[in-house]
Amino acid sequence: MSIAASDLLTAFRAYLESLDDPIACDFRSEVGWSMPARMLEPIGLACLDRLDRAVDLAPPAERRLLALLARNRGELHWGQTYSAADFGQSFLDNYGWVELFGTRGHFANDVIAAGFLILGPGIVYPDHHHIAEELYVPLTGGAEWRKGGGGFVARSAGEIIHHPSNVNHAMRTGLEPLAALYVWRGGPLAQKSTIAAAGIAG
């Protein structure tokens, strides 16, 4: 078992349990925390350089979790769903995620998946949707989020952002990066999102 992944799982659980919100409580109630570990090869991404600035931006409660992620970034199996052909190289250089637990994660779970998303400054993650219901919690503030037919709204660190099944949503960053945790349930946990603007699966 990776010590980095084990420590992150403990901190992730503690942070999730600190959130006094009924939606967050409902999601975490479905996590069986005794999950078998996987040995995954570390994979790095260009966007991981943004983590140090994200740690500086995070409030104290979120900073503890984010600083642990930043310290152990080199031990984790980071991934990208898209290619430069989808949104361009600039997007790719400023985007990435790591699944802490789930069907592809450092810990195996066939029911629910969770991890971290990184977006660099000046990035638009276009409208997309998926079958799985999704919980996001920004660990840094200032990024803007859109859901359904609404407009973009700036969100603070620690806010609960809930995306029901197959509802379009999008994110965009300004001058600063975004770091967020996510949890998926109730659908294919490794499904590629459908990008609404392009009408393709990404």
Side-chain angles (χ1 to χ4, degrees):
M1 176 190 298
S2 163
I3 294 174
S6 180
D7 288 348
L8 266 173
L9 183 65
T10 299
F12 188 99
R13 178 179 183 177
Y15 181 79
L16 209 57
E17 290 178 345
S18 75
L19 299 175
D20 184 19
D21 178 271
I23 295 175
C25 181
D26 189 45
F27 268 79
R28 72 175 177 252
S29 70
E30 295 193 22
V31 181
W33 294 101
S34 297
M35 295 174 273
R38 288 192 183 99
M39 295 304 296
L40 299 180
E41 177 187 1
I43 295 178
L45 295 172
C47 68
L48 300 186
D49 290 344
R50 305 298 189 179
L51 272 172
D52 297 314
R53 178 57 180 161
V55 171
D56 291 341
L57 294 169
E62 288 72 27
R63 185 177 301 135
R64 286 190 288 273
L65 177 58
L66 200 48
L68 184 62
L69 178 67
R71 284 198 303 272
N72 293 288
R73 73 192 93 178
E75 302 300 315
L76 301 173
H77 186 86
W78 292 85
Q80 294 177 317
T81 309
Y82 309 106
S83 69
D86 294 313
F87 305 130
Q89 190 61 43
S90 178
F91 180 91
L92 212 62
D93 289 343
N94 286 279
Y95 154 79
W97 48 262
V98 60
E99 185 173 283
L100 186 55
F101 58 86
T103 56
R104 303 170 292 181
H106 286 267
F107 296 88
N109 194 316
D110 294 331
V111 175
I112 196 162
F116 299 92
L117 170 76
I118 307 297
L119 289 179
I123 294 298
V124 177
Y125 191 158
D127 287 288
H128 59 286
H129 62 268
H130 36 73
I131 296 170
E133 182 185 9
E134 181 177 56
L135 171 74
Y136 263 119
V137 184
L139 302 175
T140 57
E144 296 180 325
W145 302 67
R146 176 169 65 198
K147 181 169 70 174
F152 279 102
V153 177
R155 299 287 195 160
S156 300
E159 278 196 58
I160 303 300
I161 302 171
H162 178 230
H163 299 139
S165 175
N166 283 325
V167 171
N168 281 340
H169 49 279
M171 300 89 97
R172 68 184 182 192
T173 55
L175 298 176
E176 301 286 6
L178 165 70
L181 68 78
Y182 69 85
V183 188
W184 273 34
R185 70 175 183 185
L189 299 180
Q191 180 194 14
K192 293 182 178 181
S193 299
T194 297
I195 304 302
I200 60 170

